[in-house]
Amino acid sequence: MDGTSTTIRHTWSGADDVAWTELGEGEPLLLGGWWMSHLVHDLEYPPIRHFVETLAGNRRVIRMDPPGTGLTRSPRGAIAVGRHVDALTAVLDAAGVDAATVLAGSSGAPVAIELAARFPERVDRMILSGAYLRGTDIAPEADRDALVDLVRRSWGVGGRVMSDVFFPAATPDEQHAYLRHQRASGSSEAAADALAEVYAINVSATAGAVRAPTLVMHRRGDRAIPLALGAGTAAAIPGAELRILDGSAHHPWHGDSRALLREALAFAGADPSELAAIRAPEERGAPRGEGPISDRERQVLVLVARGRTDAQIADELFLSVHTIHRHVANARQKLGVSSRAAAAAWVTAHPD
């Protein structure tokens, strides 16, 4: 499975030209968007790519950039939760899907709750991570305003603050990769606007109308969305199950993503063999072959990770396509990985 490239589709939802894509085959799973979603750059970031590819192992994973983010083209201005829900239903329609399992994390969770409450026939089951009902409960007003202002004035400093909150246990290399991914996903203005929307969401009045079987997962040490808000979300949804997981990472693809994926897929009806096959990102990408890759092999894999074809790489490096094939094959053998996507993921996760 090649996670370094994806076919972007578009569908209209009101005034929003919504970008969406899909990966894998099987029962449909709609992956809700999140703050600063970007369909292309997300798959260039190894933790998200690993998360999506694991889900797509036996499912048709449908993703979109919500209004105001990524490749979705939206008019400027405040975006209410209803526009996000309308975009999700438009994507389901465009994909020819009547109903799907919905998996959503962070600010995508309250949007998924609103979707399940308003359109129960579209949601077979719902899986939430790092969820909340009211954005105003996340932090005091002064803190919320200060963070939005900081992100708007200085994306670099604001991004580092967000990284410390979202992924506090990150190593320096992991934090660097995460900051690079954040900056690639949108401008400071877009990030600040999206963050303001995170705080403006309120689905507390509709959560009780959800009828889909629901799993709410929350990490015990989540600093971005406190555990109490996740527990309150589960309590507000009739029949919802709460799973408290260890760790402090907010986003589901950080930290022990393997434990979270197993809980999510078990709830979605995965068989034991599928659950047993879930591996941590470091188990998939660790070098275990003949030795370190060369500088030229690294250079080629960096371009593979950016979505270049072999012909494009050959033109850019003034080499033959055959030579590019050989560099990729040699790097895969040295790293002990089975695909060019895995080799590209490794080199992205291990900069110089």
Side-chain angles (χ1 to χ4, degrees):
M1 184 181 302
D2 187 353
T4 62
S5 62
T6 187
T7 299
I8 305 300
R9 299 173 171 87
H10 286 265
T11 188
W12 284 99
S13 173
D16 299 306
D17 183 9
V18 183
W20 68 280
T21 189
E22 60 183 320
L23 184 66
E25 297 179 351
E27 293 297 315
L29 186 149
L30 178 63
L31 188 59
W34 48 86
W35 179 70
M36 297 306 293
S37 169
H38 193 293
L39 293 176
V40 172
H41 294 313
D42 284 347
L43 286 195
E44 294 172 347
Y45 181 53
I48 296 181
R49 179 167 59 240
H50 168 259
F51 190 82
V52 172
E53 289 185 345
T54 300
L55 292 172
N58 289 282
R59 279 160 188 79
R60 179 188 178 194
V61 177
I62 300 166
R63 301 185 297 130
M64 77 161 194
D65 283 336
T69 70
L71 299 175
T72 289
R73 295 184 283 270
S74 301
R76 287 297 303 270
I79 299 175
V81 67
R83 273 176 65 186
H84 290 271
V85 170
D86 290 342
L88 285 173
T89 58
V91 167
L92 287 174
D93 290 341
V97 172
D98 294 327
T101 293
V102 177
L103 193 162
S106 193
S107 57
V111 175
I113 291 170
E114 187 77 9
L115 171 69
R118 283 179 49 192
F119 302 101
E121 73 281 2
R122 309 303 299 261
V123 180
D124 286 332
R125 58 174 65 86
M126 184 165 61
I127 304 167
L128 307 177
S129 170
Y132 66 96
L133 298 176
R134 286 183 299 269
T136 54
D137 292 338
I138 295 173
E141 182 178 7
D143 292 348
R144 301 194 308 268
D145 291 345
L147 187 53
V148 171
D149 183 60
L150 177 62
V151 170
R152 196 179 304 278
R153 288 187 294 106
S154 176
W155 195 192
V157 176
R160 184 167 293 277
V161 171
M162 300 297 287
S163 173
D164 289 340
V165 173
F166 285 152
F167 197 7
T171 66
D173 285 346
E174 288 172 334
Q175 186 180 64
H176 177 72
Y178 181 49
L179 290 171
R180 188 169 53 193
H181 170 249
Q182 282 192 139
R183 287 194 294 269
S185 296
S187 66
S188 59
E189 282 294 320
D193 289 346
L195 183 58
E197 291 166 20
V198 167
Y199 294 140
I201 289 176
N202 184 353
V203 296
S204 56
T206 55
V210 173
R211 294 295 176 263
T214 300
L215 173 67
V216 178
M217 299 179 290
H218 214 101
R219 290 188 174 119
R220 198 180 308 276
D222 191 334
R223 293 170 55 185
I225 308 295
L227 173 58
L229 300 188
T233 300
I237 298 173
E241 301 178 32
L242 176 65
R243 296 274 197 285
I244 300 175
L245 307 178
D246 291 332
S248 58
H250 174 58
H251 289 307
W253 42 82
H254 286 150
D256 189 359
S257 61
R258 176 173 49 182
L260 190 146
L261 280 164
R262 283 177 173 163
E263 292 283 355
L265 290 173
F267 187 79
D271 60 51
S273 63
E274 183 181 355
L275 299 178
I278 296 174
R279 293 188 291 169
E282 60 270 17
E283 294 174 322
R284 290 168 46 127
R288 52 188 184 278
E290 297 176 351
I293 60 175
S294 68
D295 289 343
R296 176 65 85 182
E297 288 161 354
R298 174 179 289 276
Q299 186 180 26
V300 169
L301 289 180
V302 166
L303 294 174
V304 171
R306 292 174 181 170
R308 306 284 204 281
T309 65
D310 286 352
Q312 290 170 331
I313 297 172
D315 286 343
E316 186 167 339
L317 300 183
F318 301 101
L319 299 171
S320 70
V321 173
H322 174 75
T323 300
I324 300 302
H325 287 164
R326 179 166 51 80
H327 282 313
V328 172
N330 289 344
R332 284 173 51 191
Q333 184 175 13
K334 290 178 180 180
L335 294 174
V337 297
S338 60
S339 70
R340 61 191 283 123
W346 184 89
V347 81
T348 303
H350 298 80
D352 297 330

